[in-house]
Amino acid sequence: MSEKDQKGPTIDLFFHELTGNESRPKRYFETVAGLLGFLLFAATLPIFSLLIILTSGRPIFVTDHFIGYRGSKLKRFFYRVRRSPGSSQKTPIGKFLKATGLYKLPNYINILNGDMALVGPNPLPVEKSEKLNKKFTDFYKRFATKPGVIAVRNGRSWDLDQDPSVLSHSLQCELRYLVYPTLKKDFYVMLGSFEDRVCPRQKSHNSQPAL
């Protein structure tokens, strides 16, 4: 794939056209879901904290730095699922938290703080975002909205060692989500059908974004 093909354009819209254009039902849903998620986190915090300490000691949480809305550098917390930093071995409770996605419950603090949304672009680590921003001219457009606890494209879709066409497709999908974020699109993401319905691989990258 040539450099020109790798760099786009992906979505023929300016950054300001992708900013602040969420539908009203989506905003209401995110507010309610964010509050419910935080209440679940608060209710289960003592239980998960105790289980983590009893099975593998401290710390209870690990942190991750990512680039958020309009390029701001932010921090989020997860329940620790591995025995030690750099280890591939999960703890007994860590296996459960990872399999169920409950390790992300502390992220709901970020939703209440206004740093993240329930659904949105993947909150990629700072170093990876900087590398991808150099690779794709349209990459900065994904910062026109808050990243999501539930990501439009999962982390494996953004692995740097895979074919550039896969990375380009991941960017296309996220930008198509940003064209006009709606509650319907959020449900597609949560059900795992967003790619099939909105940005299937066989379509050209120059095709019109689905609304």
Side-chain angles (χ1 to χ4, degrees):
M1 175 176 289
S2 68
E3 182 177 351
K4 180 179 179 181
D5 290 333
Q6 291 180 27
K7 291 191 174 183
T10 307
I11 293 295
D12 191 21
L13 291 172
F14 293 106
F15 183 88
H16 71 272
E17 294 178 285
L18 298 169
T19 304
N21 60 345
E22 297 91 351
S23 68
R24 185 173 297 179
K26 172 181 168 60
R27 289 197 295 269
Y28 290 158
F29 175 76
E30 293 242 334
T31 301
V32 174
L35 180 58
L36 292 176
F38 178 77
L39 292 175
L40 178 61
F41 164 64
T44 57
L45 175 61
I47 300 171
F48 290 147
S49 297
L50 181 60
L51 289 173
I52 291 172
I53 292 172
L54 290 176
T55 57
S56 60
R58 295 179 183 272
I60 297 170
F61 302 107
V62 293
T63 60
D64 174 38
H65 293 82
F66 65 98
I67 297 181
Y69 180 58
R70 289 183 174 270
S72 55
K73 293 185 178 181
L74 302 166
K75 179 170 68 174
R76 59 178 175 160
F77 291 86
F78 300 92
Y79 283 120
R80 180 171 60 86
V81 300
R82 302 187 186 277
R83 292 199 174 276
S84 61
S87 171
S88 60
Q89 187 177 13
K90 294 184 179 67
T91 64
I93 183 62
K95 292 178 182 178
F96 169 76
L97 292 172
K98 187 72 173 180
T100 58
L102 292 174
Y103 77 104
K104 288 185 177 182
L105 277 178
N107 286 186
Y108 284 89
I109 297 174
N110 295 88
I111 293 182
L112 291 188
N113 286 340
D115 298 334
M116 296 180 71
L118 179 66
V119 179
N122 195 309
L124 299 174
V126 173
E127 184 178 355
K128 181 178 286 189
S129 291
E130 290 173 346
K131 290 180 179 179
L132 288 165
N133 195 44
K134 294 176 181 178
K135 191 176 187 65
F136 298 101
T137 55
D138 273 358
F139 188 79
Y140 75 98
K141 293 180 181 179
R142 67 193 298 278
F143 302 125
T145 193
K146 299 172 186 177
V149 173
I150 303 172
V152 175
R153 298 288 287 172
N154 63 37
R156 292 187 300 275
S157 302
W158 287 108
D159 287 343
L160 294 174
D161 58 353
Q162 59 189 334
D163 191 281
S165 65
V166 177
L167 296 172
S168 180
H169 180 66
S170 293
L171 178 58
Q172 180 193 37
C173 285
E174 289 196 342
L175 295 185
R176 288 189 175 210
Y177 173 84
L178 293 181
V179 170
Y180 185 58
T182 63
L183 187 57
K184 184 178 181 180
K185 286 183 178 179
D186 283 358
F187 284 137
Y188 286 159
V189 173
M190 289 186 283
L191 293 172
S193 61
F194 182 81
E195 181 174 4
D196 292 336
R197 292 179 176 272
V198 180
C199 58
R201 285 296 301 270
Q202 66 268 23
K203 287 189 177 180
S204 168
H205 286 191
N206 292 324
S207 60
Q208 290 296 318
L211 300 179

